[in-house]
Amino acid sequence: MTETFRSGYVTIVGPPNVGKSTLLNRLMGQKIAIVTPKPQTTRNRLLGILTRPGTQMIFVDTPGIFRPGYPLQKAMVETAVRALGEADLALVMIDASGRHGDDEDRILRLLSEGGIVAVLALNKIDLVRDKKQLLPLIDRYHRTGLFREIVPVSALTGEGVADLLTVLSDLLPEGPQYYPEDMITESPERFLAAEVIREKVFLRTGEEIPYSAAVKVDEYKDRGDSLYIKATVYLERGSQKAIMIGQKGSKLKEIGQLARQELEAQTGRKIFLDLWVKVRRKWRHQTGDLRFFGYDGRR
Ligand code: GDP
Ligand code: MG
C-alpha cells in the first residue's frame, strides 16, 4: 500500500483585528507575522509552511476583509479575497468576544459563492468568562451550513489550537509537497525585517501615523560579523515625519532599538540598523506608490 501525502493552502480570513496573524504565529510555533492591537496591521499575504510526516499545510495570513475606503485598503481587501479564492481550505476567524458586523456577511457570501470548504475558528475565548455564551454563536454559524467544523480557540493562550490543527489536517486534500520541508515561509528576509520595523511604528506612534507608514529595506548586507540593514520609513506628511523622528531623534531611536533587538533575537546575529524617514505624499492613494511598496492587491 502506498502512503498518501496530503497538502494544501489554508487561507486565514476574517474581519480586521480578530487575531488572524496571532493564530498564524501560534500554529507555526514561532513569530512570522507582525501583530499589534491596532486593526489593519497586516497588508500582505504571508505564508506559514508547516510540514509534518505525511502532510504539508500552507497557512496563508491575509489582511482583514472589510469595507475599504482608500486605494491601499482596496488593495488589502483584494489581497485577502484573492487568497481566499486560491484556498484549498478556508479558515474563517471571528472574535467570539466581540461584536459582529457587515464584514462577516461579505465573508460568508464569498464562501458560499466560491463553494469553499471552510472551518470556523471562534477566537479570543480567553475573554469569554461564561463559555455557555459560545453556544448561541456556534448555533448561528452552524445554521449557515457553510462550515465543516466550528472550533473555539484562543490564539493568544493556545487553548483549542491543537484541536483546530487536527480538524484542518483531517480536511486536507491529497496533494504534493509544495515546498522543501525546512522552509517555513516564502517571504524574503528583507520583507520580514521591514515588517518588524513597521510593527514597532504601529506600536509606538498614534493617530494616523501607523496607517500612513510604509517601510522599505534599502540594503540588507552580510558583513560577516554582523548584518547591515538600511531601511526607510515613509510617511505621508512632513508633520508626521517630525513626530516620527521626535525630540532630538528620540522616537526614531526608540523604534530603531526595538526593531533591532527583535531582529537580533530572530536571526541570532548582531545587527546594525540604519533607519531613515522620508515623506511620500499621499502614497496610500497612488497606484504607483502602492506597487512600489508591494501593496498591489496580489501579494
Ligand atoms: P489580525 O488583524 O486579525 O491579524 O489580528 P492580530 O493577530 O494582529 O491581533 C489583534 C489583537 O488581538 C492583538 O492585540 C492580539 O494580541 C489580540 N489577540 C489575538 N488573538 C487573541 C486571543 O485569542 N485572545 C485575546 N485576548 N487577544 C487576542
Ligand atoms: Mg493580521
Side-chain angles (χ1 to χ4, degrees):
M1 204 180 83
T2 48
E3 285 280 312
T4 55
F5 195 86
R6 290 180 307 126
S7 62
Y9 285 79
V10 182
T11 303
I12 309 171
V13 290
N17 224 30
V18 296
K20 298 178 292 298
S21 300
T22 307
L23 182 68
L24 176 85
N25 294 340
R26 173 64 69 178
L27 287 163
M28 294 300 297
Q30 70 185 91
K31 179 168 170 181
I32 296 177
I34 63 168
V35 169
T36 82
K38 299 190 171 86
Q40 298 174 41
T41 301
T42 308
R43 293 180 182 160
N44 303 84
R45 169 184 180 272
L46 182 67
L47 303 190
I49 306 162
L50 192 66
T51 311
R52 294 270 171 79
T55 63
Q56 183 166 72
M57 252 185 273
I58 303 140
F59 296 110
V60 185
D61 187 21
T62 64
I65 293 178
F66 59 101
R67 198 187 296 268
Y70 47 87
L72 169 63
Q73 292 183 328
K74 286 204 180 83
M76 286 160 59
V77 174
E78 223 170 88
T79 298
V81 171
R82 190 186 295 260
L84 181 59
E86 293 165 356
D88 292 297
L89 197 54
L91 174 52
V92 179
M93 242 185 143
I94 296 294
D95 180 345
S97 74
R99 288 192 295 117
H100 304 271
D102 305 347
D103 298 335
E104 272 175 41
D105 297 340
R106 166 141 195 230
I107 296 164
L108 298 185
R109 218 166 39 241
L110 286 166
L111 286 181
S112 91
E113 286 167 5
I116 305 165
V117 180
V119 169
L120 180 69
L122 292 174
N123 192 34
K124 306 199 186 183
I125 56 163
D126 56 292
L127 297 177
V128 181
R129 284 256 176 76
D130 181 6
K131 300 288 187 269
K132 278 208 289 288
Q133 281 175 9
L134 295 172
L135 295 175
L137 210 55
I138 291 172
D139 187 52
R140 182 174 128 202
Y141 289 107
H142 180 71
R143 273 187 282 118
T144 65
L146 293 169
F147 299 105
R148 294 289 185 92
E149 301 273 357
I150 298 176
V151 189
V153 299
S154 169
L156 194 67
T157 68
E159 192 182 351
V161 173
D163 291 340
L164 178 63
L165 206 50
T166 308
V167 161
L168 294 171
S169 172
D170 288 347
L171 287 168
L172 275 187
E174 235 176 78
Q177 184 182 319
Y178 292 100
Y179 297 93
E181 59 193 29
D182 59 350
M183 193 165 169
I184 55 156
T185 190
E186 204 186 35
S187 303
E189 282 162 337
R190 26 170 89 219
F191 168 81
L192 297 171
E195 285 290 274
V196 169
I197 297 163
R198 200 165 63 78
E199 181 187 75
K200 306 314 173 199
V201 174
F202 254 71
L203 291 172
R204 294 293 152 154
T205 62
E207 311 280 321
E208 274 301 287
I209 294 181
Y211 300 101
S212 289
V215 179
K216 256 307 238 213
V217 166
D218 308 307
E219 285 180 53
Y220 194 103
K221 279 199 196 126
D222 195 335
R223 287 179 166 171
D225 58 341
S226 65
L227 279 176
Y228 171 77
I229 302 175
K230 182 180 174 209
T232 307
V233 180
Y234 291 88
L235 295 163
E236 292 189 297
R237 291 196 301 273
S239 56
Q240 295 175 332
K241 177 174 169 176
I243 295 170
M244 172 74 208
I245 292 173
Q247 292 275 326
K248 294 185 181 158
S250 58
K251 191 58 133 188
L252 185 62
K253 194 170 160 191
E254 182 196 353
I255 287 171
Q257 246 164 25
L258 288 168
R260 179 179 53 77
Q261 283 162 2
E262 183 164 325
L263 289 166
E264 285 186 337
Q266 226 173 57
T267 57
R269 303 284 307 271
K270 170 138 191 61
I271 286 172
F272 187 82
L273 180 59
D274 192 7
L275 199 53
W276 295 79
V277 185
K278 284 187 187 160
V279 173
R280 209 160 162 128
R281 261 168 228 297
K282 289 195 150 191
W283 67 260
R284 282 187 284 176
H285 298 263
Q286 322 284 354
T287 315
D289 288 336
L290 294 179
R291 207 170 299 134
F292 173 74
F293 290 122
Y295 302 142
D296 53 12
R298 288 167 195 283
R299 288 164 292 172

